[in-house]
Amino acid sequence: MFGFLRRKKRQAETEVAEEAAPQEQPATTTEDTPAAEPAPAAEPASVPAEPEAEEPIAEAPESTEAPTAEPVPAEPAREERDSGSLFSRLTKTRSGLTEGLGELFLGKKRIDDDLLEELETRLIMADVGQQTTTALIDELTREVNRKHIDDPEHLFETLWRLMVRRLEAVQPPAPVQRRQDGRPHVMVVCGINGGGKTTSIGKLAHRFKHEGREVMLAAADTFRAAAVEQLISWGERNQIRVIGEPGRGDPASVAFDAVTAAKARGTDILIVDTAGRLHTQSGLMDELSKLIRVIGKAEPEAPDEVLLVIDASIGQNALVQARQFNEAVKLTGLVVTKLDGTAKGGIVFAIADELGLPIHFIGVGEKAEDLRPFEPAAFVDALLDHRPD
């Protein structure tokens, strides 16, 4: 069941139980029932009575039965266990989608236009996108008209299924194999400055290193000395070799040298950082295309992946970025960052619908472990407060 419906039902049942509970009536006196006369006060004793000897109190025998465990409320306990989970990290987007819907839907005998309109508004506010939202509402309306949906819970189960299906349709049928025979798996990572690109590369390197891979990094964001220094810092922290140094000018030459070094050292994965650029800067986008061509000269089958890092908190601008980068260089997938700090996590549906790009990783926190593989069903569970009973 969906958590917001479960909580509202529990609240309604509690209110009904409280109203049905008999209320204790205060004692009253009436003319027909005379009040009892007060008892006369006891006369004080002239000689104090000797205190009676107290009988020893027998200790109660220890019970051999196990103590009855106090009932633990289901929701709070679940929330505590979920601390740090994907469910807890997507609170902002989930609140925007489901806050107040339990009260709106509970008690409805039928699904009407008002309910569907309210749901449409919530989806648009979460940046699911007008095109995707319209498609979802149209499908729900058809199901209602065919009498396949007859209550709010069934409506949300159908919405959950439709959203999961949309994301799964663009995901690869099997996890990406990042091991190549006799050569490194080359991953080029691009995106604009401030989107979390270099940090995401560091977290990916941390993940692959802990999976037992031999990893190398290429600091090809030569336009920004801070990015090179940041990548070198990630390399030192994880004992990973970094090709490139501050002050080196040509990003394509850094990438070429990195591929050559990775092949010579038998490296499993090479991750190439690229210059942060706006999607409107055609000159820098051409430079990115050149870098990818040069990598192909160093290794004809490379790059194996071209990932775009986008900041979920910018909403529809993320869709524009993905569109422009995909036109300049053929993207193979996305890394979506900062999902824990935004109410606009629905943008992943708009990108999946329009561009058909899979999401490989999502960022939901500051720690290295908070960049995690994307799982469509778990993601939609967290967005819609959906948990198996």
Side-chain angles (χ1 to χ4, degrees):
M1 180 183 283
F2 294 89
F4 65 92
L5 287 175
R6 182 192 294 115
R7 288 190 294 273
K8 191 59 188 176
K9 285 184 178 181
R10 184 183 297 117
Q11 179 184 345
E13 290 169 358
T14 301
E15 291 173 355
V16 170
E18 289 176 351
E19 290 177 1
Q23 301 292 328
E24 293 185 2
Q25 299 297 328
T28 57
T29 59
T30 63
E31 293 180 359
D32 296 334
T33 306
E37 295 182 2
E43 296 182 1
S46 56
V47 180
E50 294 183 3
E52 297 181 359
E54 295 183 358
E55 297 182 2
I57 300 175
E59 294 184 0
E62 294 185 0
S63 173
T64 57
E65 296 181 1
T68 304
E70 295 183 2
V72 180
E75 288 296 322
R78 188 65 174 268
E79 291 292 343
E80 289 178 8
R81 290 198 299 271
D82 282 338
S83 178
S85 69
L86 180 61
F87 186 90
S88 66
R89 299 303 176 86
L90 296 181
T91 298
K92 290 188 177 181
T93 300
R94 179 172 62 256
S95 296
L97 278 169
T98 65
E99 191 69 31
L101 284 181
E103 186 168 347
L104 181 68
F105 280 23
L106 195 63
K108 288 282 186 180
K109 300 299 183 183
R110 53 187 292 271
I111 306 300
D112 55 23
D113 292 340
D114 290 340
L115 289 178
L116 292 171
E117 185 176 341
E118 177 64 22
L119 182 56
E120 181 177 10
T121 300
R122 299 297 180 97
L123 292 171
I124 291 174
M125 293 296 291
D127 262 328
V128 172
Q130 183 66 60
Q131 176 180 324
T132 306
T133 297
T134 299
L136 288 170
I137 295 299
D138 286 348
E139 289 183 74
L140 289 174
T141 301
R142 284 194 293 271
E143 292 295 298
V144 171
N145 292 338
R146 293 169 183 168
K147 309 298 183 183
H148 294 165
I149 300 176
D150 54 6
D151 61 73
E153 187 173 343
H154 195 184
L155 177 75
F156 268 82
E157 288 287 354
T158 305
L159 176 63
W160 178 90
R161 189 181 71 251
L162 293 176
M163 295 177 85
V164 171
R165 183 193 301 166
R166 269 179 155 70
L167 295 178
E168 287 182 339
V170 298
Q171 293 299 111
V176 178
Q177 296 298 318
R178 296 188 171 93
R179 292 186 186 274
Q180 307 297 339
D181 293 333
R183 67 175 184 86
H185 180 96
V186 181
M187 177 187 297
V188 175
V189 181
C190 52
I192 69 169
N193 289 332
K197 172 176 57 66
T198 304
T199 299
S200 295
I201 290 172
K203 292 178 178 180
L204 286 172
H206 172 85
R207 167 178 285 277
F208 297 145
K209 175 84 174 186
H210 281 261
E211 289 177 355
R213 316 288 185 88
E214 186 69 29
V215 183
M216 182 180 290
L217 301 177
D221 187 354
T222 58
F223 295 102
R224 200 163 56 97
V228 176
E229 293 169 358
Q230 184 182 4
L231 203 65
I232 291 173
S233 176
W234 273 103
E236 292 173 348
R237 195 182 315 170
N238 293 283
Q239 298 182 331
I240 293 173
R241 183 178 177 83
V242 179
I243 303 297
E245 62 278 330
R248 190 166 175 180
D250 184 14
S253 69
V254 173
F256 184 91
D257 290 348
V259 174
T260 303
K263 291 172 67 176
R265 291 174 175 271
T267 301
D268 295 321
I269 298 178
L270 170 66
I271 308 177
V272 181
D273 190 11
T274 63
R277 64 205 74 223
L278 293 174
H279 50 282
T280 54
Q281 295 173 311
S282 58
L284 290 177
M285 295 296 277
D286 291 341
E287 186 72 32
L288 177 60
S289 300
K290 173 187 173 183
L291 180 144
I292 291 177
R293 290 196 303 272
V294 169
I295 288 175
K297 292 179 181 179
E299 172 51 57
E301 297 183 45
D304 301 278
E305 292 183 81
V306 181
L307 301 183
L308 174 67
V309 176
I310 57 173
D311 178 351
S313 66
I314 65 175
Q316 291 297 308
N317 279 336
L319 175 60
V320 176
Q321 286 179 22
R323 187 186 300 128
Q324 297 292 339
F325 272 92
N326 196 41
E327 289 176 0
V329 292
K330 188 62 178 176
L331 297 173
T332 62
L334 302 173
V335 178
V336 184
T337 65
K338 306 181 185 180
L339 278 166
D340 57 317
T342 181
K344 299 180 179 181
I347 190 61
V348 299
F349 296 94
I351 293 174
D353 253 11
E354 179 172 332
L355 301 178
L357 289 172
I359 300 164
H360 292 308
F361 298 93
I362 56 174
V364 291
E366 298 297 327
K367 298 179 181 178
E369 297 77 12
D370 290 331
L371 186 72
R372 55 189 70 180
F374 180 66
E375 300 176 4
F379 183 79
V380 181
D381 278 347
L383 284 190
L384 295 184
D385 199 359
H386 178 263
R387 306 188 190 194
D389 291 328

